[in-house]
Amino acid sequence: MVEEIIRIERLDKSFSGVPVLKNINLDIKRGEILGIIGENGAGKSTLMKILAGIYYPPTAGSIYLHGKITDIANPIEARRLGISLIPQEFNLIRDLPVYNNIFLGAELMKNRVVLDNAAMRRRTIELLSRLGVSISPDAQIENLSAAQKQMLEISKALAFDSEVLIMDEPTTMLTHYEIDILFRLVRQLRENGMTIVYISHKLKEVKALTDRVAILRDGEVVHDGPTADMTTLQMAQKMVGRELSSLFPPKNDSAEDQVVFEIKNVSVPGILHDVSFALRRGEVLGLFGLVGAGRTEIAETVLGLRRKSGGEISINGKSADIREPRDAVGFGISYLSEDRQGSGIITSFSVAQNTTLVSLPKYSSRLFHRIDKRTEHEQVDEYIREFRVKTESQDKRLENLSGGNQQKISLAKSIDTKPGIFIIDEPTRGVDVSAKHEIYVFINKLVKENRISCLLISSELEEIIGMCNRVVVMREGAVTGELGGDAITEENVMALATGVVEDKSA
Amino acid sequence: MNANTGERQGFNIEKWGAPIALAALLVIAAVVGWPHFHKPQNLINVMRQASYTGIIALSMTFVIISGGIDLSVGSMAAFCASVGVLFMNWMLGNGLGEFWAVVCGGVAASILIGGVCGAVNGALITAGKIVPFIVTLGTMSIFRYLCLQMANAGEFASKSQLFSRFGAAALFQFTASGHRISLPIPIFALFILAAILSFLLKSTRYGRYLCAVGSNAKVAQYSAIRVGRVRFWAYVVNGLCVGVAASLLAARFNTVSTPNFGLNFEMDAIAATIIGGTVMAGGRGTVWGTVIGCFMLQIIQNMLNMAGISPYWQGVVKGIVIIVSVFIQKQKQ
């Protein structure tokens, strides 16, 4: 008999009068992996934050834990009750070693006064070996990969004997191989009786991993049932509430032979080794690699943010000397950052201010550089219409917009300089399915109508396969190969990215 | 299209908080300081006294919006004023007679030196990549002790009679309800500079970049903004304003007492900026808010004076006001 751990009954949550969750009813059973999916803004994270005690109290409704009505008033209370949340952004302190991080906030003490470092270290080794991961307890956080950090967050949950582990978008930062390891681990935790709530955008993963799936739309549960009964397409349709054709638009067919942008033998000590490739007019060139392969570092070198020790960048056949991002803009290069909040947009700036941040010289007078706010306003309105950005006004701060809408503004910002070469780094990270589709359509439209050549940097194989005319694959800072047309397959790309040819029978 | 944003947010405390606080304070002061506070001459005195640090606070607003701080402004004021007075005396001692040109030369020297001092701060912060707090803590000491060394810890008295006339000068004499009123030059300087800096901040590319750099320097860098230059100019503008304030104050006293001139100005300037609603972490703020902030500080002091409260308690109240105003700002977030 499956035992029920958590029951959520008629739960409502509003923020300043705006309902985010409406009449949620959901059971979570012991030893199951429950997938929770929904578009950005559907209320997934809010629901989970209520369970983890971060949002308290709910506007209405109740939560039962082991059949008893329970108040989860704060995160410490949640942890005491056996509920752990692994947030999208990890909560790790960079300057502390692994074992201190695991016991952060619940340090083991000697005589109630002194930290018992030896005991914490010992327990850490136990925990990590239980998870079957090889991380030194003394390692510094900054030296760990994203996957290893994820493992640490899981160890933290184990250290507190959690019964319920909530994972919010755990695979965003992980590579294919790391995801496999994570999945094995999650299944193993389930065997040991742990309950896992798995929040994700990636339907394929939800399909592969979860036992049951609950779908949220506009703050309501629109579906709750066994995962096996649904295809990913059905899931996507339930999520957006309409029929979805294919995620990717028809492939771009406007590639020409003329090279517009070329990187020749570029090296950055310790990061890039003798990298060369060429981008042709009107094509979408993919740049694929696992984490640490040096994809983003190439973009940063092109922008002049990293100093190269050798090699040359040429634009339309002429050598281009780029020392700072301003020079790159001058050469018609534009960059969409992979780290939206870190280096893409200013969340406290308005929609309009973000959109024109790079192209501001275009809107300002010669004298005093006075900004022509009317032209700015008109242009931004045009982008809002074109991208179908959901915002009440262009004066709204970006922090009040969803991830997908933020990304659209980030895109508008990048193309407002009218670039000829557009480097797009992870354009759909943290973006929901329908916004993803819109972004793909838009990239192809840019290439076709505006004759822009795109370098699409991505760690999502699907995206590379669905979008690119050619793909350059990197591993450990070097180009390992180039594929075109029908040769762009999952196997071929992964073989180049890992240096290992996968066994087809596996 | 953008008219209806206020509706859902309701009351916009960021925009109206400081003016409302000022209005409330004026009412309180009029009651506590009855029957003297509300008299025109007193109000003009309050404004004049607020102007000297007020002018510095205007540009401190730029520095704080850029994500920095400038602790050196008080010492810098002493240094600028000393150089200005020395330059005037030198001109007078070298055969130039008492002309307004000499006064202008002295004022120009002060402002120029202020710009140079600001450039030194800015260069150390941007090219030297040292945090603003440390750089300006260092230059605070350097500027002060340079003057003390030059004056042997004494004072520089101006030999120009015109300079002190400039310090006492007022414009727009008129009569209101039986009082003869005139507006001193520092008040004009404050409002003119506030108008210029507010224009720079709100309507020009530089102002937009300044907020961008203060909000998120990395985004600014990726957006092809020259982060270092934007920061550098904030310190130069600050230095220029310090030069203006220093020459006005020196003219008022007709002398520069090197140990005391501009002492604690950095505290008043930073306090006025913060009370005026500028975010300490950078990225957001208004120049007019800062003007209100420095008037508020001065009104509180004036009111407590009239109520016969000791200057020591006044200092305590000032500290409380700073903390409470930041606390109120935090609540709305």
Side-chain angles (χ1 to χ4, degrees), chain A residues 47-66:
Chain A
L47 181 58
M48 291 308 122
K49 281 179 179 164
I50 288 175
L51 286 183
I54 296 168
Y55 292 149
Y56 179 83
T59 311
S62 25
I63 297 168
Y64 293 83
L65 199 67
H66 298 297

Side-chain angles (χ1 to χ4, degrees), chain A residues 57-76:
Chain A
T59 311
S62 25
I63 297 168
Y64 293 83
L65 199 67
H66 298 297
K68 270 190 305 209
I69 199 158
T70 310
D71 272 344
I72 309 172
N74 56 54
I76 297 168

Side-chain angles (χ1 to χ4, degrees), chain B residues 95-108:
Chain B
L96 276 168
E98 278 273 36
F99 294 117
W100 280 111
V102 171
V103 173
C104 290
V107 172

Side-chain angles (χ1 to χ4, degrees), chain A residues 96-285:
Chain A
L96 291 178
V98 164
Y99 66 90
N100 277 143
N101 263 292
I102 288 189
F103 288 94
L104 196 68
E107 285 79 4
L108 302 181
M109 302 296 233
K110 249 192 287 200
N111 312 324
R112 293 170 165 266
V113 188
V114 190
L115 287 176
D116 192 349
N117 278 321
M120 286 193 272
R121 221 177 148 269
R122 208 167 46 241
R123 282 276 289 144
T124 302
I125 297 173
E126 266 172 47
L127 284 168
L128 291 173
S129 68
R130 226 172 96 195
L131 290 177
V133 287
S134 54
I135 305 171
S136 156
D138 303 305
Q140 289 296 318
I141 298 301
E142 53 193 332
N143 297 331
L144 298 182
S145 70
Q148 288 174 318
K149 288 180 192 164
Q150 188 100 51
M151 300 301 164
L152 278 201
E153 288 283 1
I154 296 174
S155 328
K156 252 163 110 174
L158 289 180
F160 297 120
D161 291 321
S162 297
E163 286 183 295
V164 181
L165 181 62
I166 304 168
M167 307 175 91
D168 193 356
E169 302 279 358
T171 58
T172 320
M173 308 291 286
L174 304 190
T175 62
H176 252 62
Y177 280 86
E178 293 167 332
I179 290 171
D180 281 348
I181 297 169
L182 178 75
F183 279 14
R184 228 171 312 171
L185 184 64
V186 169
R187 290 193 186 104
Q188 184 199 324
L189 291 174
R190 174 184 56 187
E191 301 314 314
N192 299 344
M194 203 185 227
T195 305
I196 290 108
V197 180
Y198 187 90
I199 304 173
S200 185
H201 279 119
K202 300 184 181 172
L203 303 180
K204 258 175 137 176
E205 290 173 7
V206 171
K207 175 79 184 152
L209 183 69
T210 63
D211 305 315
R212 192 159 64 97
V213 60
I215 302 175
L216 285 178
R217 186 170 75 226
D218 298 328
E220 290 174 275
V221 177
V222 293
H223 177 89
D224 180 0
T227 309
D229 296 350
M230 282 188 107
T231 65
T232 51
L233 189 65
Q234 285 168 325
M235 288 182 199
Q237 280 165 357
K238 287 261 188 210
M239 265 168 67
V240 289
R242 60 182 166 82
E243 293 291 318
L244 254 188
S245 49
S246 164
L247 184 57
F248 296 98
K251 258 199 190 182
N252 162 54
D253 57 1
S254 50
E256 297 169 19
D257 286 338
Q258 188 199 349
V259 170
V260 288
F261 170 81
E262 193 171 8
I263 290 182
K264 284 180 230 158
N265 310 103
V266 165
S267 295
V268 174
I271 293 167
L272 299 177
H273 316 291
D274 203 20
V275 172
S276 302
F277 62 84
L279 175 65
R280 296 176 194 152
R281 182 179 300 281
E283 87 170 334
V284 180
L285 175 66

Side-chain angles (χ1 to χ4, degrees), chain A residues 300 305 324-326 329 341-346 348-349 353 356-358 360-361 364 368-371 373 376 392-393 395 397 413, chain B residues 1-2 4-5 8-9 14 199-200 202-206 208-209 211-213 215-216 218-226 283-284:
Chain A
E300 288 169 348
L305 291 167
E324 54 177 347
R326 218 175 121 102
V329 172
Q341 310 235 332
S343 49
I345 53 163
I346 297 179
S348 62
F349 264 35
Q353 288 169 331
T356 58
L357 197 57
V358 191
L360 208 53
S364 40
F368 302 130
H369 291 164
R370 184 183 185 151
I371 300 168
K373 289 191 178 154
E376 184 187 29
E392 290 155 35
S393 113
D395 298 320
R397 290 200 192 136
K413 168 183 173 235
Chain B
M1 158 109 205
N2 56 358
N4 56 2
T5 42
R8 202 182 273 177
Q9 292 166 352
E14 203 164 317
F199 169 78
L200 274 177
K202 286 173 77 174
S203 305
T204 70
R205 202 153 90 199
Y206 178 74
R208 184 78 61 86
Y209 284 175
C211 293
V213 165
S215 289
N216 192 329
K218 199 172 174 209
V219 175
Q221 187 193 20
Y222 274 75
S223 301
I225 294 169
R226 288 170 161 160
R284 272 210 314 276

